[in-house]
Amino acid sequence: MATYSDAFDARSRLSGDYGTVTYYRLEALARHGVALERLPFTVKILLENLLRHYDGELITEKTVLALARWQPGKAASSDEEFPFMPARVLLQDFTGVPAVADLAAMRSAVARMGGDPQKINPLVPADLVIDHSVQVDVFGSTLAFQRNVEREYERNSERYALLRWAQQAFRNFRVVPPGTGIVHQVNLEYLASVVMTKETQGERLAFPDTLVGTDSHTTMVNGLGVLGWGVGGIEAEAVLLGQPLYLLTPEVIGVRIFGALPEGSTATDLVLTVTQLLRKRGVVGKFVEFTGPGLRYLSLADRATIANMSPEFGATATLFPVDEETLRYLRSTGRDPELIQLVEDYTRAQGLFRSDDAPEPLFDDLLELDLATIEPSLAGPRRPQDRVPLARVGQVFRETYADRIGSNGHRRSATVHLGNTQTTLSDGAVAIAAITSCTNTSNPSVMIAAGLLAKHAVERGLTVKPTVKTSLAPGSRAVIDYLESADLLPYLEALRFHLVGFGCTTCIGNSGPLPEPVAEAVQANDLVVAAVLSGNRNFEGRIHPQVRASFLASPPLVVAYALAGTVDIDLTKDPIGYDANGEPVYLREIWPSQEEINAVVSRAISPELFKKNYGHVFEGDEHWRSLSNATGPLFNWDPNSTYIQEPPFFKDMALEPPPLQTIEGARVLAMLDDSITTDHISPAGSFSPDSPAGKYLLARGVERRDFNTYGARRGNHEVMVRGTFANIRLRNRLVGGKEGYYTLHLPEGQEMTIYDAAMRYQEEGVPLLVIAGKEYGSGSSRDWAAKGPLLLGIRAVIAESFERIHRSNLVGMGILPLQFRPGESKESLGLTGRERYDILGIEHDLQPRQEITVRVTREDGSTFTFQTIARLDSKVDVTYYKNGGILPTVLRRLIQD
């Protein structure tokens, strides 16, 4: 697909200050009886991708016209699949480091086979933003940012050295160094262009900016009209190597919004409502597209906040079409005027520019939402889709943890000494208050609102208790600049919301340790304390191992709960605190008006601010520039490194895959319930010295303070396989629902860690299964949630349903996802996990979504069978599975070529 054909006579030209560009005109399809006017914008962008890449082989005339004739309500019954070639790939370092390690390992494998390692090279542009590694070790100080950066480099220099090598070894590969921002905010504010151009066949070709990313929140850029979504690192690597993604005919759910947000409600309140609405509707694996007159009242930052949380409501992507607001945002963030003109000319010429007077697209389903109904809300305490109105937060907290804190109103408490201060810590206390995550820090409106609320609170004499770990971690340096320009940063700092870093921090579990006296009080008294964060994920065990309750909130509400010091409160009527005279202060008295917020936003933000911050985005600071910079086409693997090891996936790989065989005598390693997230399967946060991963590092001379996190050690499979299913909140039915990383080794029933049991099963030659409930693999697009199980010896996962990205990752690593038939489950079939299992029929002419028989042998020797559906959803999935995954498939093709 290196050349472009034009069988549809679609090639045309546009000219402007940007020069002359060639493009593939969608309107050319009208000659084939295709009506494009009311196609969803999502479908039009995918259709342009097919039209431009038409080659008569991989993409035929039939392929193009099948999508061009898309009709509402038909996608679910269609088995058409088509290739999609994203224009670029976006990576962050937690998922990017193992992806780069895989590419380096593929080069090593090709070299061992006598091939040219340079064949392994990105064929599409890739940007990797280092944002997931900074932790909140130091807080509440003007020195916090500097100290946290220093610790980040101390911990991660080996990982960063790999990325420095990759910068020079691979073409089309750029790295945004640490301390710059969060990947999705950098993408929104700088990397994304809406319309891309490249030189090909002697002319400059224009086409929509599309992408996939190794983070599920890649969808944030959908708010800019750029179609993209998160995939596993495995799929992203295949795209980098020139392989298409294969998509089924898209189902597109429309959301028509009307009205305007009421005074006191924020974009965060809106996105939590949308998340709840779309989770209820069920949009897993579907595309969502916003439409309606209410779009004129949503800023682009508000749109990006909604699109960011697509994974939380399960959608593949959530598109806001290009319109006048898109152009305004491009101007306000300092984009090149010639690019902005090209974006407008191209999208108008292609029917990709939305206007209020244009006919509304037709969708598979259409939901409606009145913005005037949005109320202040949080989400939690365990899942992002569980929206809680502000008035009910305290009640929901008490109901959720009634088994631990009782229901008689009596709260357990402990005395805490911090320096010269003595205070109390009770159930419901806010232990962490974090302004974090690109979801909200990309939105000037809510960040300015947080600063103004802090200003009003300080002016009333309010303070934050020293037991609250506060932090400010924006997604770009521009945020600090406009907070300083608005003279609001000093007020946030007065409440101890000091800058701690430019990265994901608390949102991905890098919250760092609690102050020791607080941690000891929580542990000794078994207190149920809370985190309030402006993030997008709050699954159990994710934010901090000692914090059971986690609530997602807007930045101003994060500040508010830090002031209140507890979530066991109704901030709509209870005082948030008391002033110097002992008079009560209420949230409504310090909440900034929308008029006040808008005035500050207009005054503090300018295009020059973004131009200054992104002018040298790839250069890095002195820490980055002083790293060792290895050269050459092959990476020099250090056998003594505890961060980077050559992945084992390509060692001793045969040129021809072995034939599939029946899985016989399999044992269940974990019997799990609903909503098992990728955090449960492959946690990203810290781990204890007593864990299998901790013991491994201690045995290699790594001190406890240098453990770092699972996420930072994803370049070392020895750590990651020991961290698989190592979430401290995992509940495995085989051990009676006991929390932690335990299972039974069968048949004798000895309790041990999941890792130890898996290694014993491997010695015995016993294949393994996981059995689970609904929504298996929800959450982050975490490839180690598939790689880790493979290395444990897991051959198949049987569940009631799978989240989209994780199902794809399982296939991508050669693990068979099997789905119970509708109405059936482990409970209805009476499965205990102590049985032996045979998976039959996969060795003969395996087909997409084929029914697969599972034979069960109970402990008493009796047997029965049940049917499952092989979630190999396409012929390409079957090919990948037969090859043992995506990357072995690609590597075999490259070697054979």
Side-chain angles (χ1 to χ4, degrees), residues 295 706 872:
L295 285 175
D706 296 320
L872 305 172

Side-chain angles (χ1 to χ4, degrees), residues 303-377:
R303 301 174 186 188
T305 298
I306 295 170
N308 177 283
M309 288 191 70
S310 298
E312 280 62 53
F313 46 82
T316 299
T318 303
L319 189 70
F320 288 81
V322 174
D323 60 8
E324 290 291 350
E325 172 61 15
T326 313
L327 303 179
R328 184 207 64 79
Y329 182 82
L330 292 173
R331 285 190 289 268
S332 70
T333 49
R335 264 46 172 239
D336 189 320
E338 292 182 5
L339 170 65
I340 298 169
Q341 185 192 354
L342 175 61
V343 168
E344 180 170 9
D345 289 356
Y346 178 85
T347 53
R348 287 188 184 278
Q350 289 281 58
L352 293 172
F353 192 93
R354 188 201 72 84
S355 59
D356 290 342
D357 57 356
E360 191 171 81
L362 299 174
F363 301 103
D364 287 289
D365 193 9
L366 183 63
L367 309 178
E368 293 196 332
L369 178 62
D370 181 357
L371 297 181
T373 64
I374 303 302
E375 60 180 334
S377 304

Side-chain angles (χ1 to χ4, degrees), residues 568-578 584-588:
D568 191 5
I569 189 173
D570 178 358
L571 286 180
T572 66
K573 64 181 183 182
D574 297 334
I576 196 171
Y578 294 85
V585 178
Y586 295 90
L587 179 62
R588 61 181 176 269

